[in-house]
Amino acid sequence: MTAAPGAQRAARAGRRDADASPRDPVRHILPLGVAVFVSAVAGVLQTLAFPTLSWWPIVFVSVPLTLIALTGRRAWSALLVGFANGLGFYLINVAFTSRYLGPIPWLALSVLEALLTAALAVPIALAYRWLPRVAPGRWGRLVALPAVVAGLWVAREELIGHEPYGGFPWGRLGVTQVDSPLGHLISWVGMSGVGFLIVFLCATAVEYLRIGTWRDLRTALPGAVTVLVLLLVPQFPTTPAGTLRVGAVQGNGPTGYFDKRADYAVIDAQVAATKPLLGRKLDLLVWPEGGVDYDPTQDVPTAATLDAVQRQAGAPLLANAAVRRGADDYNLSFVWQAGHGITQSYAKWHPVPFGEYVPDRWLFEPLAPDLIGLIGRGYTPGTTAPVVRVKGVGVGLAICFDVIYDDVIRTGARDGARLFVFQTNNADFRGTDENIQQLAFARARALETGRAVVNISTVGRSQVIAPDGSELDGIPAGRAGHLLADVPLRTGLTPAVIAGGWIDGILGWGSLAALATAGVLVRRRRAAHATTPAPAGTGVD
């Protein structure tokens, strides 16, 4: 007679336990409690790679620790380990949100992002359980498994960057490398691609150490090739196309939610800081996001002030204000010409949820009425292309957190931008590292597109950034001032701009497809083993 189902399961479990060894690729490396602690520490360490400190090499410590903590974990324990990692990271990385609004937004955002991190830690843990069973050889461990794990890391960043309410792609691994020898790769594969290469290298190193066949130098080949790619591939070249003389003004006016201000105090601060530029040769004058207090299409004194500034500057004025069109409010960047008003404009594609509009207000207002009540109006997402033209030159635009979204920047480059202007208002985060974290994204975008960037803030820090990501000029935070620079123009599209969306999709969806395939194969093998007769002597009479 065949063995009873319970006896069969016990026999299979016994065989698995007998086969397990310290080098078993499916076995967890750390006990659960230790794994949770190590994962939280890894999240904290990873924050050190971001500004203010910008210790970019630390990712080659934090990423392996994160992977080691997830190795061999089942789904529920992976959730716990992933949540610890996400909480350790986001509680520090987005601490700037508590600067004026208190702990509620900070904790809510941190916990939400940690939950998403936890959910996407499960596929990574499953990859460590399933892939070695499907591809148990050395090359499966050193190439296939790290590739799927790295792709799943990208998938996690993509999910966090899109959901919920448009997502929050703030803590991306690739942006930590703008100061490193790896920054140039952003022009080839974008920030997600650089993140993939970092995780692939780290995962390969972990498996190389776990396999333990150090004398066989062939096993070091995947990691060595990845290092060579990371270090030796130069930035993709774009073509110089002259310069545009740009003046940009940081007024340092009272532009925060809780700033006390008199009528027209913001625009008056901008005008005062602009005066040193008036009468000098300019091709474009730029003011930051929120540099105009009132809607110039509705407020006559505001329109008159903009007319006067533009005439005296002798160049188009690129400004920004909250503008109503019909029944909708927009965070609008616009080109102003005296006597004609707004001649070109771009409305922000990605208004910030709970900052510039309140999704599902009926749900959230009863939970935090004082905070939600601060957001009296809601901005409508724009639909126009993020490009304006000045003297025949395409100028790509992004407004504040727009800079962290790939679609805005890639569309601007594809639609003819020869340089970028990023207008931002950082007044609600004075005294935090939010502004310099955002500047890291601006520098990454310069590398990604091969374009110069003028990043102008209401309160700083503002910069002119070269196409290679280096700073050409800047204004410190908390100080009124201006920039005047002959900004280099570039033509030609980088691979990251042309194929960035495809790269992100292939890495993310491809890894999920590979994981699903591995899961199906593992399940089929288990089913096949379940129907195999038990050895003689294990039956029940």
Side-chain angles (χ1 to χ4, degrees), residues 261-282:
R261 70 183 76 173
D263 287 344
Y264 305 103
V266 174
I267 197 170
D268 287 347
Q270 285 296 133
V271 171
T274 302
K275 286 181 178 179
L277 289 173
L278 301 180
R280 305 182 69 172
K281 182 182 181 301
L282 289 174

Side-chain angles (χ1 to χ4, degrees), residues 168-193:
F168 186 60
W170 187 258
R172 298 170 73 175
L173 196 60
V175 79
T176 64
Q177 302 303 300
V178 294
D179 287 314
S180 86
L182 315 183
H184 56 275
L185 288 171
I186 297 174
S187 66
W188 290 90
V189 293
M191 280 184 272
S192 294

Side-chain angles (χ1 to χ4, degrees), residues 51 54 56 174-180 183-184 186-187 191 235 403 409 422 435-455 461 463-472:
S54 300
W56 61 266
V175 79
T176 64
Q177 302 303 300
V178 294
D179 287 314
S180 86
H184 56 275
I186 297 174
S187 66
M191 280 184 272
Q235 183 180 358
V403 71
I409 308 304
F422 299 158
N435 172 244
I436 53 175
Q437 285 197 52
Q438 189 175 324
L439 276 172
F441 273 96
R443 294 176 60 201
R445 296 308 186 183
L447 287 162
E448 180 182 28
T449 61
R451 304 291 194 272
V453 170
V454 178
N455 190 95
R461 175 180 180 142
Q463 283 185 338
V464 179
I465 303 166
D468 65 359
S470 61
E471 179 182 350
L472 296 176

Side-chain angles (χ1 to χ4, degrees), residues 181-182 184-185 188 224-235:
L182 315 183
H184 56 275
L185 288 171
W188 290 90
V225 170
T226 305
V227 169
L228 289 175
V229 169
L230 290 173
L231 295 178
L232 298 183
V233 175
Q235 183 180 358

Side-chain angles (χ1 to χ4, degrees), residues 28-52:
H28 61 71
I29 300 174
L30 303 173
L32 179 57
V34 177
V36 171
F37 175 76
V38 168
S39 188
V41 169
V44 172
L45 288 176
Q46 194 153 303
T47 65
L48 304 180
F50 291 80
T52 307

Side-chain angles (χ1 to χ4, degrees), residues 40-72:
V41 169
V44 172
L45 288 176
Q46 194 153 303
T47 65
L48 304 180
F50 291 80
T52 307
L53 294 176
S54 300
W55 292 350
W56 61 266
I58 202 70
V59 300
F60 297 101
V61 176
S62 63
V63 172
L65 288 177
T66 301
L67 300 180
I68 288 169
L70 286 171
T71 299

